[in-house]
Amino acid sequence: MLKTVLCDLLDIKYPIFQGGMAWISDAELASAVSDAGGIGIIAAGNSPAEHVLNEIKKIKKMTDRPFGVNVMLMSRYAHEVAQVAADEKVKIIVTGAGNPAKHMKMWTEYGAKVIPVVPSVALAKLMERCGASAVIAEGGEAGGHVGDITTMALVPQVCDAVKIPVIAAGGIGDGRGIAAALMLGACGVQVGTRFLTAMECVVHENYKNMVLKAKDIDTLFAGKRVGHPIRALKNNFVREYLKKEYDSSVSDEELLKFGEGRFKLAAVDGDIKEGCFLAGQIAGIVNREQSAKEIIEEMFAQAEEILNGAKKFYE
Ligand code: TUI
């Protein structure tokens, strides 16, 4: 059985985090992942703290297994969400889209394990100094808000730079990705895109179908000009956005306004033309709907098989 330091650190069977996906990762999906032996994550995204509080209360009734909350630091509600997570004594706090240093003390004081997503070695080192229990090194293959460096290049460099456990994210969708992440020095993985088509994932059916249909080259990277670089599935909205992004007659304010509300439009309303369907480059291998338990068990069975057969590469 594949076991790493992350399993002992967090009291879990499989060293896998479900990525916190704005408007998507609710108590339903997160509890299914936690029950299956991974870490389910409730995503705050841009939602007000009250919504996050409700989901935390829900998941506490749904599972006794460990779960986490993802605090999206670019949200205007980030401060209140950070406080709600502390008030509810959430044991695992993942942060994304920013530097969580100013909130760390509030969480570590009551014993939470803080696990920031980092897109660079510098932020990984800073997080270790600030008391993070682990870091998630996320490469630019990931969906949603992304950094520049690929998972392949980022993970080993972060592993060399910090002593705390490193979890790999970005481009991991099956057991091959898990095996590769472990070879790069990670002790676990975070997976988002593959869970979009989980049976317990409440995202709009149109979203699931877009992911199921996506090929390797079907994502685009946009938004860097206004400081919100994201990866999403190609559609009318992202193409229009990119045209505006490269048009110097369009102001940053207009661009920001054009992008407003698009994640919700995709995840909740399933608006194929006008929504922004965040997904990673690994979407091309996601081709069926399965329960969260099936996804996790299949991924780890494949990883074990690959790692057990690794001797074939040398004498
Ligand atoms: O956070 C994500 N993915 C997301 S968040 C999101 S919702 C959103 N809403 C409005 C604008 C932007 C996003 C959709 N997808 N992934 C984790 C992640 N964090 N990836 C990259 C980073 C990151 C980037 C810069 C973390 C820290 C960071 O630090 C910069 C600094 O302040 O030092």
Side-chain angles (χ1 to χ4, degrees):
M1 171 112 189
L2 198 159
K3 202 165 172 268
T4 73
V5 291
L6 201 65
C7 300
D8 294 327
L9 181 73
L10 304 176
D11 182 28
I12 50 175
K13 187 169 173 193
Y14 298 108
I16 183 168
F17 279 38
Q18 159 246 316
M21 298 173 282
W23 298 105
I24 298 171
S25 310
D26 62 359
E28 190 78 24
L29 177 62
S31 65
V33 171
S34 291
D35 279 341
I39 293 288
I41 304 277
I42 289 170
N46 274 315
S47 305
E50 196 189 328
H51 170 79
V52 183
L53 178 61
N54 281 339
E55 293 303 312
I56 294 171
K57 288 192 165 149
K58 253 196 243 169
I59 198 171
K60 283 182 176 171
K61 290 196 189 124
M62 294 171 87
T63 185
D64 293 329
R65 302 302 308 147
F67 69 91
V69 167
N70 180 304
V71 181
M72 206 282 276
L73 294 162
M74 269 169 72
S75 165
R76 80 182 90 135
Y77 304 110
H79 194 75
E80 293 146 69
V81 169
Q83 186 63 54
V84 156
D87 294 344
E88 288 296 306
K89 303 231 174 334
V90 173
K91 293 197 185 89
I92 300 166
I93 307 282
V94 174
T95 64
N99 175 350
K102 66 176 179 211
H103 304 294
M104 296 277 277
K105 191 161 166 274
M106 169 171 71
W107 293 322
T108 52
E109 246 170 18
Y110 70 86
K113 295 198 165 63
V114 184
I115 308 186
V117 173
V118 296
S120 67
V121 165
L123 194 62
K125 283 169 134 177
L126 178 63
M127 292 299 99
E128 181 175 50
R129 283 202 299 280
C130 289
S133 295
V135 286
I136 301 173
E138 188 188 271
E141 299 94 318
H145 185 79
V146 280
D148 288 324
I149 311 176
T150 61
T151 305
M152 185 83 152
L154 179 66
V155 173
Q157 295 187 68
V158 171
C159 289
D160 283 349
V162 298
K163 292 197 176 66
I164 52 177
V166 177
I167 297 155
I172 300 168
D174 65 11
R176 292 170 295 185
I178 296 175
L182 297 177
M183 293 304 97
L184 294 176
C187 62
V189 294
Q190 176 170 274
V191 170
T193 302
R194 176 94 189 249
F195 285 116
L196 281 170
T197 63
M199 282 162 188
E200 299 89 347
C201 180
V202 298
V203 75
H204 196 282
E205 203 189 324
N206 293 350
Y207 206 135
K208 288 195 180 186
N209 287 331
M210 279 174 76
V211 174
L212 292 170
K213 272 197 228 136
K215 298 189 299 295
D216 53 348
I217 56 165
D218 285 345
T219 69
L220 289 169
F221 175 76
K224 197 160 183 176
R225 191 178 124 186
V226 289
H228 295 180
I230 57 109
R231 179 176 302 287
L233 293 173
K234 277 179 191 169
N235 72 345
N236 172 71
F237 161 69
V238 184
R239 285 197 187 92
E240 289 300 311
Y241 185 97
L242 278 169
K243 265 190 226 154
K244 289 184 195 289
E245 186 166 15
Y246 286 101
D247 181 346
S248 58
S249 72
V250 177
S251 70
D252 286 0
E253 289 69 33
E254 278 173 77
L255 204 53
L256 280 167
K257 189 107 193 93
F258 188 64
E260 265 174 24
R262 303 287 181 161
F263 302 156
K264 187 177 180 205
L265 210 52
V268 180
D269 304 321
D271 189 330
I272 292 170
K273 264 186 85 186
E274 301 301 335
C276 182
F277 294 79
L278 302 176
Q281 288 181 320
I282 202 68
I285 67 162
V286 181
N287 49 27
R288 71 213 136 105
E289 202 175 15
Q290 288 172 298
S291 69
K293 189 171 187 307
E294 281 168 339
I295 292 172
I296 293 172
E297 288 177 357
E298 186 182 293
M299 286 181 74
F300 280 91
Q302 190 188 15
E304 276 186 36
E305 198 184 319
I306 292 167
L307 293 168
N308 282 330
K311 276 202 169 149
K312 72 182 177 198
F313 296 114
Y314 54 88
E315 285 185 340

